[in-house]
Amino acid sequence: MPIVLDGKSVAAQIKADLSTRVAALKRQGIQPGLGTLLVGSDPGSVKYVAGKHADCAEVGITSIRRDLSADATESQIVQAVDELNADPACTGFIVQLPLPAGVDELSVIARIDPGKDVDGMHPYNLGELVLHTSGEIATPLPCTPRGVLTLLDHYGIGLDGKEVCVLGRGITIGRTIGLLLTRRNVNATVTLCHTGTKDVREHMRRADVIIAAMGSAGFVTPDDIKPGAVLVDVGVSRVWDEQAGRYRIKGDVDKACYAKAGAYTPNPGGVGPMTRAMLLANVVEIAERAAAR
């Protein structure tokens, strides 16, 4: 039987550990705080931000929320970022993406204080990740890639010498996870596939691990994987269910693949909870590093 990589269960264990560490920080007079900046009312973003604040309450982190209307200008968004940068109660914060059309997302991300970048997506922090092929990294790591590796490690799935096929080149995971996978302590070999890749299915069939992050429901089929492959499904698509009369969330991996796999992440319930747990971990680690100085 394939191993189900249960992100909900592992995230719960991580949050329990973080609760203990937050309590220790409070005894030192340090109160970690997570800020969020949400622009507009995209249903997925609203739900995701609400989940982050619920997680904060669970582990004892203060929530700091900034909401702007969908017609907010870029200057108003930048002003909100500056306010969070300057807020001493805010240990770290995220700007929830996507931002409204016409707003330069990369400029907004670059405006974040790198020391408060709990998403690990600031150019400085990504640069630190590029530079450090081994050893400790003392800057925040991208949450989704870190969550994937933490989940695999929890289940004892080693990646040393493994062929990993990454599907999708988005900034959230596709372009960043290879930086973590190719560090010497992981030592995987990575192929990044995208819309310009020829024979993408041949790449998948050779892979020991497939990390699918395309947002294309059911793209990975049983014919695309070799027996025993590890399937990590990061894709999110809203697909209309005629029978139920409502939209459902579906991943990039067809569930028919599960019987052939050696291990797989359910979707939902796999990578998503791990991403949120890593966001909290980044907040706590920033506070712990400040306490140690």
Side-chain angles (χ1 to χ4, degrees):
M1 293 290 292
I3 300 169
V4 181
L5 306 176
D6 186 350
K8 287 183 179 179
S9 173
V10 178
Q13 295 175 47
I14 291 169
K15 287 190 284 187
D17 173 66
L18 292 174
S19 295
T20 301
R21 291 159 62 184
V22 168
L25 285 165
K26 289 181 179 179
R27 288 193 292 271
Q28 299 176 62
I30 298 171
Q31 172 60 62
L34 171 66
T36 61
L37 174 56
L38 174 65
V39 184
S41 56
D42 174 76
S45 295
V46 169
K47 182 178 180 180
Y48 192 55
V49 166
K52 289 169 183 171
H53 289 291
D55 290 339
C56 285
E58 193 174 340
V59 303
I61 295 173
T62 298
S63 290
I64 302 163
R65 183 162 183 164
R66 299 284 186 273
D67 292 351
L68 297 176
S69 64
D71 60 357
T73 64
E74 187 165 332
S75 63
Q76 289 173 322
I77 295 170
V78 166
Q79 180 181 347
V81 168
D82 288 343
E83 290 170 358
L84 289 168
N85 282 335
D87 186 350
C90 178
T91 306
F93 67 97
I94 64 118
V95 175
Q96 181 65 39
L97 302 180
L99 293 175
V103 175
D104 186 340
E105 292 186 345
L106 296 183
S107 293
V108 172
I109 291 172
R111 189 82 175 202
I112 298 170
D113 178 345
K116 289 191 172 189
D117 168 36
V118 289
D119 252 347
M121 302 304 291
H122 187 280
Y124 175 84
N125 294 328
L126 290 177
E128 285 292 296
L129 179 54
V130 169
L131 289 171
H132 290 83
T133 57
S134 60
E136 182 181 357
I137 301 176
T139 49
L141 295 173
C143 294
T144 302
R146 183 183 180 187
V148 168
L149 267 63
T150 301
L151 183 59
L152 294 174
D153 183 65
H154 178 88
Y155 283 94
I157 297 175
L159 298 174
D160 189 355
K162 299 295 185 182
E163 294 276 349
V164 180
C165 179
V166 179
L167 303 175
R169 54 184 165 188
I171 189 173
T172 302
I173 181 168
R175 291 183 63 81
T176 50
I177 194 166
L179 296 172
L180 287 173
L181 287 167
T182 52
R183 279 171 50 81
R184 287 190 175 90
N185 65 320
V186 180
N187 238 22
T189 297
V190 181
T191 300
L192 173 59
C193 296
H194 45 75
T195 51
T197 302
K198 296 180 180 178
D199 300 323
V200 63
R201 299 193 184 275
E202 286 301 318
H203 288 292
M204 287 193 279
R205 292 183 191 113
R206 291 197 301 269
D208 303 301
V209 181
I210 296 173
I211 300 175
M214 302 173 67
S216 179
F219 181 84
V220 182
T221 69
D223 289 340
D224 299 324
I225 67 172
K226 69 181 184 181
V230 176
L231 307 177
V232 178
D233 191 353
V234 193
V236 177
S237 298
R238 294 177 73 243
V239 178
W240 181 255
D241 186 328
E242 291 284 355
Q243 187 172 357
R246 64 184 181 90
Y247 284 99
R248 292 188 182 276
I249 298 297
K250 291 199 173 182
D252 289 352
V253 177
D254 189 328
K255 292 183 179 181
C257 295
Y258 294 170
K260 191 176 179 181
Y264 67 90
T265 62
N267 192 340
V271 176
M274 294 300 298
T275 297
R276 283 166 47 181
M278 294 301 101
L279 189 77
L280 300 179
N282 279 344
V283 174
V284 173
E285 287 167 4
I286 291 170
E288 288 173 337
R289 285 193 287 267
R293 289 198 286 267

